């Protein structure tokens, strides 16, 4: 059997966990007493193994004797074909067990474009696709991750959904499944009702949607009053004491992010109004530098990786960054281990750190101004101004850097063509600055490399912009063309842009409701798979299927009224709807909101009684 | 690979003393499904986990100094390949094995090891022949017929992308007596001067002797030994330092 990169289908890596007692039971009796979970990542191995949630929860679900966990990834087209031709069911890497033999099949969902792959994995795993078609002995299909906060477009396929952080919730859920398994898997409905009683667990089948005759979503009703009308996410209060995988699985073949990771903190103090990741992970909770130092040394020793990445939404906001990086650099002295520090705000400290931390040459600097004018940056509450950017770059150019990447979004609320042209003007100022610095320093300038990258703004649930209208395809294309024209005048700029079509489709899925379930099913049946891979994505087919269900782009992208019930209103991430509304109004007034450490803006996340909300300011 | 050679050269130029552990290793199962560069990384990380005093290459991107005798293609098992690991201080062979083996992933194992102080020749340059066992239904008979030919032209792309015909017969040294109907055991040229990949050999059996390509695609290939010297005076890699 010849398939591309066969190493992704075989497992056998260092630090892989196979529970011997479970294996023995399985061999002897064909079943076991522990609850077996297949942890599924709906993309290829090389993407999935780069995911920290997978490594954390894999370790967690193998940490107690009543639970075991194995990994499953989405087979690429070639393997998918071979498995169907030869009737090979999708199997786990650890024990090569078919998916249908597991008690729980758990997906982590990081992006909407992976939806079709969930269906592929279920189908190849010989599991009924729809929750309502599953029998008592079929696995229980669950999911978590950022996309799970609005799972309505996929609600038919999941038996239960985790709202919040897995470390807090998973074992409680597994214990409930253990009871079900011990009892001989008699009454699936009763079990799901028990699961729904766990705080933070959402069982979609216990709710019914209502639409107006005009086809507008009106409400989602619990089927009776024993079902909670609101599900609030669960989070870890103290990250220092929670399990962290210091011996993660080390892949044998090259993966996308081939390094070890430390997670500095969860949440983000910044409050950028478009950013779902920032809001859904509130409040900010840090790990102490001492914990991280100890874990960093352990990880480096246990993996043999020569690069340790610092993960968080905004590395510079970590309050003990200097202590941590000094400590790690000291510990790794002479060991040829470098640190990677993404999302650093560029200042003297950061430049110095980058010089020290990485053993390799000067790589490019990355900025995400997101918008081209100060007005629009204030609208989105991006706490960064032109002066910050230029003074940081002045330092960087003086220090010998000459490669700069700039990330922007097109289609942000209130955007005008002036804002679009502003992107090119900023790029021009940066180019001029480079030559100015070279002249001042009396050196012969090289040609700077300035990359401008644009993506399309997609309004996401649980953000201040969750009600916004998304730009039409024509608007996006016009803005892209305008920017491309303006950037032609800036010689050192390379412009790269992301596909408009994928953004339009992602926008529909992100704010979708339950009517999209059958659209996604039909799209999958028609051949859609790996939509996150640009050359696999078929826009016309998806839009055609959407239309065949009597639905349209307008219904999802036109935006919602402030008074509308939103398809995800039964979920709470702690940040109140009221706060989002106020933030929206401030956006229109171009007013910035101070970050969580400057001043509390009473978003509501203090309901979790932890983190930055309780720091002394 | 060439980078490793360069690195070894640089170290020599710097007059750093190298204490080399030359390990003979086997791989099978999951580990056979990865490419040569991945296998190098697997070894690098295992040696780092083992906390052995490995030397690093110089330059922008320092890497542990490992030199492999001959790249292993994806899907090929081995029971007798070699890797040289350059240490900053002498490490005895038993210690190397005891520390590295627990750190290797399953299906990869160091079978034996010798210590060499300051090798004069690079491991890659001493390899001249390789032994393969190729297991596939009924392959031996057509494979032996192939050995009976005087000339076996195979098309391949040269470095410029042009298709050229070359005769691979001179690279096929001999079949071994212990071949059975479904398993052919052969000695072929290998190394940096002239090299016959086992998949090319199998393809030649298909093209010239009409062997079924479907059966060929299921072949299990194992490299069983590497040699230096000039046939018939071939010798084991251990002694070639």
């Amino acid at each position: 059997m010849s398939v591309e990169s066969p190493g992704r289908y075989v497992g056998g890596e260092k630090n892989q966990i196979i529970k011997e007692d479970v294996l023995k039971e399985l061999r002897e009796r064909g079943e076991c007493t522990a609850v077996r979970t297949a942890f599924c990542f709906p993309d290829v191995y090389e993407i999935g193994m780069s995911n920290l949630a997978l490594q954390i929860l894999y370790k967690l679900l193998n940490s107690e004797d009543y639970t075991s966990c194995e990994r499953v990834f989405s087979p690429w087209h070639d393997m998918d074909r071979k498995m169907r031709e030869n009737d090979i069911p999708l199997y786990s890497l650890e024990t090569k067990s078919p998916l249908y033999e597991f008690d729980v099949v758990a997906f982590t969902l990081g992006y909407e474009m992976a939806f079709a792959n969930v269906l592929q994995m279920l189908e190849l795993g010989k599991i009924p696709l729809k929750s309502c078609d599953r029998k008592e002995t079929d696995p229980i299909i669950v999911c978590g991750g950022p996309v799970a906060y609005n799972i309505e477009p996929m609600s038919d396929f999941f038996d239960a959904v985790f709202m919040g952080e897995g470390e807090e919730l998973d074992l409680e859920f597994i214990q409930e499944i253990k009871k079900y398994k011990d009892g001989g898997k008699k009454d699936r409905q009763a079990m799901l009702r028990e699961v729904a009683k766990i705080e933070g667990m959402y069982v979609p089948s216990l709710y019914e949607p209502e639409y107006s005759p005009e086809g507008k979503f009106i409400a989602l009703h619990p089927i009776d009053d024993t079902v909670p009308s609101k599900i609030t996410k669960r989070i870890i209060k103290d990250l220092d004491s929670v399990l962290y995988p210091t011996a993660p699985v080390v892949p044998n073949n090259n993966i996308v992010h081939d390094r070890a990771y430390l997670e500095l903190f969860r949440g983000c103090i910044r409050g950028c109004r478009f950013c779902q990741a920032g809001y859904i992970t509130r409040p900010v909770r840090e790990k102490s530098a001492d914990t991280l130092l100890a874990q960093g040394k352990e990880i480096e020793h246990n993996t043999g990786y020569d690069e340790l990445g610092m993960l968080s939404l905004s590395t510079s906001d970590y309050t003990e960054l200097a202590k941590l990086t000094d400590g790690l650099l000291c510990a790794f002295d002479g060991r040829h281990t470098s640190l990677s520090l993404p999302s650093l705000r560029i200042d003297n400290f950061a430049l110095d750190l980058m010089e020290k931390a990485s053993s390799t040459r000067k790589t490019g600097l990355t900025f995400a101004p997101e918008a081209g004018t100060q007005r629009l940056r204030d609208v989105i509450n991006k706490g960064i101004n032109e002066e910050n950017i230029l003074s940081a770059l002045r330092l960087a150019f003086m220090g010998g850097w000459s490669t700069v990447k700039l990330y922007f979004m097109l289609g942000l609320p209130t955007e005008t063509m002036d804002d679009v042209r502003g992107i090119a003007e900023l790029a021009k100022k940066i180019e001029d600055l480079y030559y100015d610095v070279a002249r001042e320093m009396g050196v012969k300038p090289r040609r700077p490399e300035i990359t401008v990258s644009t993506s399309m703004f997609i309004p996401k649930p649980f953000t201040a912009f969750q009600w916004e209208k998304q730009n039409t395809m024509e608007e996006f294309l016009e803005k892209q063309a305008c920017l491309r024209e303006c950037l032609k005048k800036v010689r050192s700029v390379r412009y790269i842009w992301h596909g408009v079509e994928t953004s339009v489709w992602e926008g529909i899925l992100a704010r979708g409701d339950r009517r999209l379930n059958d659209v996604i099913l039909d799209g999958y049946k028609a051949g859609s798979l790996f939509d996150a891979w640009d050359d696999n994505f078929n826009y016309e087919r998806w839009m055609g299927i959407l239309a065949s269900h009597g639905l349209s782009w307008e219904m999802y992208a036109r935006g919602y009224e402030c008074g509308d019930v939103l398809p995800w209103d039964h979920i709470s991430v702690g940040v109140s709807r009221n706060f989002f509304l106020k933030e929206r109004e401030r956006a229109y007034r171009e007013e910035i909101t101070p970050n969580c450490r400057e001043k509390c803006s009473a978003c509501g996340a203090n309901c979790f009684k932890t983190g930055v909300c309780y720091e002394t300011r | 690979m060439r980078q490793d050679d360069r690195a070894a050269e640089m170290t020599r130029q710097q007059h750093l003393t190298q204490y080399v552990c030359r390990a003979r290793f086997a791989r099978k199962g999951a580990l056979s499904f990865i490419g040569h560069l991945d296998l190098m990384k697997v070894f690098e990380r295992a040696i780092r986990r083992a906390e052995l005093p490995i030397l690093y290459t110089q330059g922008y991107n320092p890497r542990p100094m490992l030199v492999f005798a001959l790249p292993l293609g994806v899907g090929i098992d081995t029971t007798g390949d070699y890797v040289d690991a350059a240490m900053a201080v002498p490490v005895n062979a038993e210690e190397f094995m005891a520390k590295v083996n627990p750190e290797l992933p399953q299906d990869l194992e160091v079978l034996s090891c010798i210590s060499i102080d300051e090798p004069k020749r690079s491991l890659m340059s001493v390899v001249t022949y390789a032994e393969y066992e190729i297991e596939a239904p009924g392959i031996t008979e057509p494979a032996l017929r192939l050995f009976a030919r005087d000339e076996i032209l195979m098309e391949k792309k040269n470095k410029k992308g042009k298709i050229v015909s070359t005769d691979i017969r001179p690279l096929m040294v001999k079949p071994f007596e212990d071949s059975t109907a479904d398993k052919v055991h052969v000695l072929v040229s290998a190394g940096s001067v002239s090299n016959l990949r086992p998949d090319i050999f199998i393809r030649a059996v298909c093209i010239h002797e009409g062997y079924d390509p479907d059966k060929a695609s299921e072949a299990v290939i194992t490299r069983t030994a590497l040699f230096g010297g000039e046939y018939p005076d071939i010798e084991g890699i251990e002694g070639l330092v």
Side-chain angles (χ1 to χ4, degrees), chain A residues 117-348:
Chain A
N117 284 68
V118 171
L119 302 184
Q120 175 219 28
M121 293 179 78
L122 291 176
E123 186 171 74
L124 285 175
K126 299 189 185 294
I127 296 167
L129 295 183
K130 291 208 166 184
S131 174
C132 60
D133 296 329
R134 292 184 197 127
K135 310 231 160 24
E136 317 305 313
T137 50
D138 283 322
I140 298 132
I141 315 301
V142 298
C143 72
V147 169
Y149 286 114
N150 179 27
I151 201 63
E152 297 311 299
M154 289 285 283
S155 59
D156 287 356
F157 310 110
F158 291 106
D159 298 314
V161 183
F162 295 77
M163 297 300 167
E165 294 170 356
E167 300 102 316
E168 178 72 9
L169 203 45
D170 285 12
L171 291 180
E172 243 173 87
F173 166 77
I174 295 291
Q175 280 160 13
E176 196 54 53
I177 303 307
K178 176 87 170 102
K179 279 188 224 157
Y180 180 60
K181 189 174 182 178
D182 288 347
K185 297 195 177 178
K186 294 251 162 52
D187 187 346
R188 194 179 175 95
Q189 267 314 307
M191 174 270 295
L192 287 175
R193 281 193 172 260
E194 287 305 311
V195 167
K197 285 182 193 160
I198 302 173
E199 217 188 308
M201 292 301 304
Y202 169 48
V203 177
S205 60
L206 301 180
Y207 300 79
E208 269 170 4
E210 186 190 342
Y211 304 97
S212 76
E214 300 80 47
K216 196 172 149 187
F217 173 81
I218 296 177
L220 190 70
H221 303 289
I223 55 172
D224 61 44
D225 50 15
T226 64
V227 179
S229 57
K230 194 97 173 174
I231 299 117
T232 302
K233 77 168 183 198
R234 294 269 298 275
I235 60 164
I236 294 288
K237 280 207 168 86
D238 175 16
L239 285 175
D240 274 332
S241 59
V242 77
L243 172 143
Y244 190 77
T246 50
V249 181
V250 184
N252 290 329
N253 55 334
N254 202 16
I255 62 168
V256 178
H257 299 295
D258 212 359
R259 59 180 81 91
Y261 279 109
L262 278 181
E263 191 184 14
L264 308 188
F265 60 93
R266 291 188 187 166
C268 181
I269 59 170
R270 297 277 148 189
C272 298
R273 292 180 177 128
F274 57 85
C275 180
Q276 188 191 43
Y279 286 126
I280 59 178
T281 51
R282 283 187 178 207
V284 167
R285 288 146 294 148
E286 290 195 343
K287 286 169 85 162
S288 72
D290 290 331
T291 305
L292 289 168
L293 265 171
Q295 290 178 347
K297 285 185 228 173
E298 258 181 74
I299 292 174
E300 194 242 11
H301 173 75
N302 289 338
T303 60
Y305 274 124
D306 57 9
E307 190 179 354
L308 183 63
M310 309 286 116
L311 267 194
S312 70
L313 291 170
S314 168
T315 311
S316 297
D317 289 330
Y318 179 55
T319 52
E320 295 186 280
L321 188 60
K323 178 179 173 185
L324 175 65
T325 49
D326 283 352
L328 287 172
L329 287 171
C330 181
F332 296 155
D333 187 39
R335 299 172 65 90
H336 301 277
T337 303
S338 62
L339 304 183
S340 81
L341 298 145
S343 58
L344 269 187
R345 257 196 324 285
I346 306 302
D347 53 20
N348 261 327

Side-chain angles (χ1 to χ4, degrees), chain A residues 15 17 19 35-42 48-64 66-73 94 104-110 142-146 148-149 161-174 201 234-236 239 242-249 263 266:
Chain A
N15 298 336
I17 304 169
K19 292 192 134 188
V35 174
R36 295 179 76 202
T37 300
F39 197 99
C40 295
F41 194 97
M49 282 305 293
S50 304
N51 181 276
L52 184 59
L54 179 144
Q55 297 271 14
I56 292 175
L57 299 175
Y58 177 71
K59 179 77 189 173
L60 178 84
L61 291 171
N62 277 313
S63 66
E64 304 284 341
Y66 59 86
T67 155
S68 88
C69 180
E70 305 182 28
R71 295 162 299 148
V72 188
F73 299 91
E94 278 74 8
V104 175
V105 171
F107 287 86
T108 181
L109 297 176
V142 298
C143 72
Y149 286 114
V161 183
F162 295 77
M163 297 300 167
E165 294 170 356
E167 300 102 316
E168 178 72 9
L169 203 45
D170 285 12
L171 291 180
E172 243 173 87
F173 166 77
I174 295 291
M201 292 301 304
R234 294 269 298 275
I235 60 164
I236 294 288
L239 285 175
V242 77
L243 172 143
Y244 190 77
T246 50
V249 181
E263 191 184 14
R266 291 188 187 166

Side-chain angles (χ1 to χ4, degrees), chain A residues 359-379:
Chain A
S359 57
T360 51
R361 74 211 130 78
K362 281 181 174 143
T363 46
L365 295 170
T366 303
F367 286 83
E370 310 290 4
T373 60
Q374 196 52 44
R375 186 199 70 79
L376 195 53
R377 281 192 293 270
D378 289 344
V379 168

Side-chain angles (χ1 to χ4, degrees), chain A residues 561-593:
Chain A
E561 301 295 324
C562 292
D564 286 351
V565 178
L566 304 171
W568 52 92
D569 267 352
H570 56 294
I571 307 296
S572 167
V573 297
V575 182
S576 71
R577 182 191 165 101
N578 221 357
F579 175 76
F580 285 138
L581 268 178
K582 270 196 277 181
E583 279 297 287
R584 184 185 194 220
E585 285 154 19
R586 291 176 78 96
Y588 288 150
R589 294 199 301 268
E590 297 163 18
E591 265 176 52
I592 54 170
T593 298

